[in-house]
Structure formats: C-alpha cells, structure tokens
Amino acid sequence: MANVRGHYRKNGSYVRPHTRRNRPGSASPRPAIPRQRSAPGATTNVRGHYRNGSYVRPHTRRISGPVVVAAGGGGLLLLIVVLLALFGGSGEAPAGTSPSPLASTTGAPR
C-alpha cells in the first residue's frame, strides 16, 4: 500500500490524497529505509529532467549526511588494506627460518 499525495493532473483535474493498493502479481514495494538527518543548510540544485516520461522542474533539495560523508572516504582505507596484504602484516617468520634470539626472550635475565 502506498500513500498518494493530492495533485493536479495534466488536464487540470485534481486528485484527492488517497492510499493506493498494489496490483495482484506486481512487485511489492521497497522496504522503508530510515532517513538520517542532514546538516542544516546542506542543499543542492537539481536541473530539470525527464523521469518516467514526465518532466521534473528544476528545484533545490536537501543532501543527506551519510551520502556526503561516504562520497570520498573509502579509497584510502582500501589502499591501506591492499598494501598490508602485499607486504605482509602477519608478523610470523617464514617457514624454514629460526627466530632471532631477542624474539624468544621474555625479558628476564638468565
């Protein structure tokens, strides 16, 4: 079920707000994703465009916070993980080598 806002059709007639039912056999609606608040004043301008065959007028919309933060942050972390994997971050000695004498002491004098 989807709530439909009141709106005017192209022919000028007004459609009252109502609840629309899904047709039998149609895909179920997407699950609701909780909205996160954006920083006050974070907006962007949207140019006019066509969507599903109808024209959307130019407008201003709010930018959600997580999208702005996530837009440029993931590349550095990925680079660090790849470098650690290439140059070995395991700390174990390769097979066939003996550990250094300093590595086997516990710090107490003998």
Side-chain angles (χ1 to χ4, degrees), residues 44-98:
T44 185
N45 292 322
V46 179
R47 288 189 254 170
H49 60 278
Y50 286 91
R51 179 176 183 164
N52 298 332
S54 61
Y55 183 71
V56 178
R57 295 187 333 200
H59 60 281
T60 303
R61 69 172 177 86
R62 275 198 263 167
I63 302 173
S64 61
V67 174
V68 174
V69 173
L76 182 62
L77 180 62
L78 179 63
L79 178 64
I80 292 170
V81 170
V82 169
L83 289 176
L84 284 175
L86 288 175
F87 295 112
S90 64
E92 296 179 8
T97 61
S98 62

